[in-house]
């Protein structure tokens, strides 16, 4: 009984997209610590290699595949090269503030392509090419934005996250018969390099943290651990669920 751990990923093969930094990198690393064979993908080869080197060694090998998933050829080649998967973390995404009066087709399409189209098309190909085991788990990195709250200048991003949660629930319904569970994690603000873009001062960030009952932003590992739960057998009766990870921020 000492080795009993329903959250273990030992023996599982997990694909993580957007794994070159932030939540994706943390998820890949934490999955490897839980015993998984991790396949990481992203556009930045140098940073992807850094993630690969940080993966915990275990009984199963890890692998990295450099790909720009907005390109049809890269997406097809990625799926073609994959082994059978126990899980997929659709994490690749971008952020950006655009006030409504400054919206443009170009800005809408760019964010929608990465945040919404890519995970939808990757999921389609994984199912069509029979790359997911029965049972298996797909986890989408969504957000509290749009799904639980809105904020100034966040219309495009929030819309893509509402879309990905809707797709997650639809996929959960459609793919249940194949033994494929679909869920999402919905974090609030997380401490990643995205925060270093100069949109707010350090003092403004500290003030913003006071809106959170737990008085801090999340860490990438906080989100990774939620993802691990949804990948693991501990959540074998969970599908179509959006797991809110927000330090209590949306309570008010």
């Amino acid at each position: 009984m000492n080795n009993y751990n329903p959250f273990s990923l030992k023996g599982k093969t997990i694909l993580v997209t957007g794994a070159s930094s932030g939540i994706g990198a943390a998820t890949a690393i934490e999955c490897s610590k839980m015993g998984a064979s991790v396949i990481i993908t992203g556009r930045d080869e140098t940073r992807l290699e850094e993630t690969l080197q940080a993966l915990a060694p275990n009984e199963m090998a890890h692998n990295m595949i450099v790909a720009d998933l907005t390109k049809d050829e890269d997406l097809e080649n990625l799926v073609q090269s994959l082994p059978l998967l126990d899980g997929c973390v659709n994490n690749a995404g971008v952020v950006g503030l655009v006030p409504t009066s400054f919206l443009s087709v170009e800005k809408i399409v760019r964010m929608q392509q990465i945040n919404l189209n890519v995970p939808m098309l990757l999921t389609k190909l994984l199912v069509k090419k029979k790359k997911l085991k029965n049972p298996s788990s797909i986890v989408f990195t969504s957000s509290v934005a749009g799904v639980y709250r809105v904020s100034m200048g966040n219309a495009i991003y929030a819309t893509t996250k509402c879309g990905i949660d809707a797709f997650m629930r639809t996929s959960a319904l459609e793919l249940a018969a194949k033994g494929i569970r679909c869920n999402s994690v919905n974090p609030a603000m997380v401490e990643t390099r995205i925060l270093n873009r100069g949109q707010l001062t350090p003092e403004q960030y500290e003030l913003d943290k006071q809106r959170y009952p737990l008085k801090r932003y999340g860490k990438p590992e906080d989100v990774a651990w939620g993802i691990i739960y949804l990948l693991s057998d501990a959540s074998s009766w969970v599908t179509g669920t959006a797991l809110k990870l927000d330090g209590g921020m949306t309570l008010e």
Side-chain angles (χ1 to χ4, degrees), residues 113-171:
Q113 184 180 27
I114 299 171
N115 290 3
L116 184 57
N117 296 5
V118 164
M120 291 176 71
L121 294 173
L122 176 56
T123 300
K124 181 203 81 168
L125 287 174
L126 291 175
V127 173
K128 190 173 181 179
K129 302 293 185 181
K130 299 182 178 179
K131 293 290 185 175
L132 292 161
K133 294 180 182 178
N134 182 354
S136 58
S137 171
I138 302 175
V139 184
F140 300 88
T141 301
S142 184
S143 174
V144 297
V147 181
Y148 295 101
R149 65 182 296 272
V150 294
S151 58
M152 300 284 285
N154 219 17
I156 305 175
Y157 180 79
T159 299
T160 65
K161 293 307 181 180
C162 285
I164 206 60
D165 259 30
F167 178 72
M168 173 273 291
R169 292 192 298 272
T170 303
S171 298

Side-chain angles (χ1 to χ4, degrees), residues 208-218 222 245-252:
D208 185 60
K209 290 176 185 179
Q210 300 311 304
R211 297 188 301 119
Y212 291 67
L214 295 183
K215 304 304 180 187
R216 70 174 178 89
Y217 291 156
D222 291 323
L245 303 167
D246 71 342
M249 184 265 288
T250 58
L251 291 172
E252 297 181 356

Side-chain angles (χ1 to χ4, degrees), residues 40-129:
I40 58 174
T41 186
R43 292 180 292 184
D44 190 318
E45 184 173 1
T46 300
R47 286 196 288 160
L48 203 61
E49 180 67 36
E50 291 174 359
T51 302
L52 182 66
Q53 295 306 315
L55 299 181
N58 56 48
E59 297 174 4
M60 304 177 71
H62 307 304
N63 191 21
M64 65 174 260
I65 302 171
V66 179
D68 181 349
L69 300 185
T70 65
K71 298 178 179 178
D72 291 344
E73 183 179 1
D74 281 18
L75 189 59
E76 290 274 356
N77 289 341
L78 169 69
V79 173
Q80 201 65 40
S81 66
L82 292 172
L84 277 176
L85 300 175
D86 297 278
C88 170
V89 182
N90 271 303
N91 173 75
V94 294
V95 299
L97 296 177
V98 184
T100 300
S101 57
F102 290 93
L103 293 177
S104 68
V105 172
E106 180 183 3
K107 292 173 182 176
I108 293 170
V109 169
R110 177 180 177 274
M111 194 173 291
Q112 179 177 304
Q113 184 180 27
I114 299 171
N115 290 3
L116 184 57
N117 296 5
V118 164
M120 291 176 71
L121 294 173
L122 176 56
T123 300
K124 181 203 81 168
L125 287 174
L126 291 175
V127 173
K128 190 173 181 179
K129 302 293 185 181

Side-chain angles (χ1 to χ4, degrees), residues 171-245:
S171 298
L173 188 61
E174 292 183 359
L175 301 180
K178 298 180 183 293
I180 302 170
R181 298 185 296 109
C182 299
N183 297 284
S184 67
V185 289
N186 298 64
M189 193 74 86
V190 176
E191 298 273 9
T192 66
R193 68 176 64 201
I194 290 173
L195 295 188
N196 298 324
R197 292 184 170 181
Q199 291 178 330
L200 297 177
T201 66
E203 292 76 18
Q204 287 172 317
Y205 280 123
E206 289 304 316
L207 183 62
D208 185 60
K209 290 176 185 179
Q210 300 311 304
R211 297 188 301 119
Y212 291 67
L214 295 183
K215 304 304 180 187
R216 70 174 178 89
Y217 291 156
K219 300 177 295 184
E221 290 78 13
D222 291 323
V223 183
W225 295 329
I227 291 171
I228 285 171
Y229 163 66
L230 294 172
L231 291 171
S232 74
D233 293 342
S235 64
S236 62
W237 206 45
V238 178
T239 195
T241 292
L243 179 59
K244 184 166 61 174
L245 303 167

